[in-house]
Amino acid sequence: MVEEPAATVGVLALQGDVLEHEAALREVGAAVRRVRRPSDLAGIEGLVLPGGESTTLSKLLDSSGLFAPIAEAVAEGLPTFGTCAGLILLAAKVEDGRPDQRSFAALDCTVRRNGYGPQRFSFEGVAEPVDALLGAETGPLPAVFIRAPLVTEVWGDAEVLAREGQDGGGAPVVLRQRQVLGATFHPELTSDRRVHRLFMDMVRAAAGRSPGAR
Ligand code: GLN
């Protein structure tokens, strides 16, 4: 049997926790490419928007000329996964953002920046999968929240895959809408690879590849 080459996933590398995402993606079988300029987007089969600062990322996306081509690729169905600030960049509505902050508006949800408030600015909690896609029976995922956005509203085609807290009764923390996946926490900072694995399944399915080893 001829082995299929690994799917190539781009990681937006303008700011934020790029290295951790690269390592997590390699663990689930991706070939990784850093995306810093529009030409880096050619041929990628998926794209990760890491955490960082969404206001800064929005500015850097504009100055690097990446905003428009990424918006187009996302609209055309490129599998895209945003964590924390990356999810803010994908949300349809952003509260407490800067007035000039832009988003790709690919996830039907409202997020409030730094929405967990001062007491829970950054914390380690859990995310309970509530959808079979993430393995609803497989137990809670460790979840590191760092000045995380709070999802306050979900509508339309966005599905909630996990909620905060052991009983899964908290705010939505993993969302999916067609080829777009978002997490308000940082799955790249723990060793549980369920969320990255799901993203790679989305990448392989969109590219018509065979599913990877699980
Ligand atoms: N609070 C940050 C923002 O608004 C997100 C923090 C993070 O990505 N860890 O962009």
Side-chain angles (χ1 to χ4, degrees):
M1 211 180 90
V2 185
E3 215 169 280
E4 226 179 339
T8 302
V9 174
V11 178
L12 183 70
L14 300 175
Q15 192 231 15
D17 59 342
V18 175
L19 285 173
E20 292 83 354
H21 268 294
E22 288 180 336
L25 287 164
R26 289 198 181 100
E27 273 178 47
V28 295
V32 180
R33 180 185 317 153
R34 290 190 186 175
V35 172
R36 291 207 172 95
R37 54 187 71 82
S39 58
D40 297 331
L41 294 167
I44 59 169
E45 296 169 87
L47 177 65
V48 169
L49 308 176
E53 193 56 48
S54 57
T55 51
T56 309
L57 280 165
S58 168
K59 276 193 208 147
L60 293 172
L61 281 164
D62 272 331
S63 58
S64 62
L66 275 166
F67 192 92
I70 292 180
E72 193 180 313
V74 173
E76 282 172 359
L78 178 73
T80 305
F81 175 26
T83 56
C84 203
L87 177 141
I88 298 173
L89 290 173
L90 291 167
K93 285 194 199 161
V94 179
E95 291 175 351
D96 293 342
R98 280 174 51 115
D100 59 349
Q101 179 165 358
R102 301 173 76 193
S103 105
F104 300 118
L107 270 179
D108 291 342
C109 67
T110 303
V111 293
R112 190 179 310 140
R113 288 183 63 230
N114 306 323
Y116 284 89
Q119 276 88 43
R120 301 181 84 197
F121 221 43
S122 299
F123 62 101
E124 283 187 45
V126 293
E128 184 81 41
V130 292
D131 187 285
L133 274 178
L134 258 184
E137 304 307 318
T138 54
L141 297 141
V144 178
F145 294 86
I146 304 172
R147 297 191 303 112
L150 179 67
V151 174
T152 55
E153 220 186 341
V154 178
W155 67 88
D157 292 327
E159 296 164 90
V160 177
L161 303 190
R163 290 180 176 273
E164 198 228 322
Q166 196 93 42
D167 60 356
V173 291
V174 181
L175 297 178
R176 178 185 177 174
Q177 182 166 340
R178 291 186 280 273
Q179 314 291 2
V180 174
L181 185 67
T184 62
F185 60 97
H186 289 269
E188 72 285 6
L189 296 183
T190 61
S191 58
D192 191 308
R193 287 289 159 263
R194 275 177 277 174
V195 187
H196 282 84
R197 219 171 267 138
L198 168 62
F199 180 60
M200 284 312 289
D201 286 348
M202 291 164 57
V203 169
R204 291 189 186 102
R209 289 165 171 272
S210 39
R214 297 195 58 103

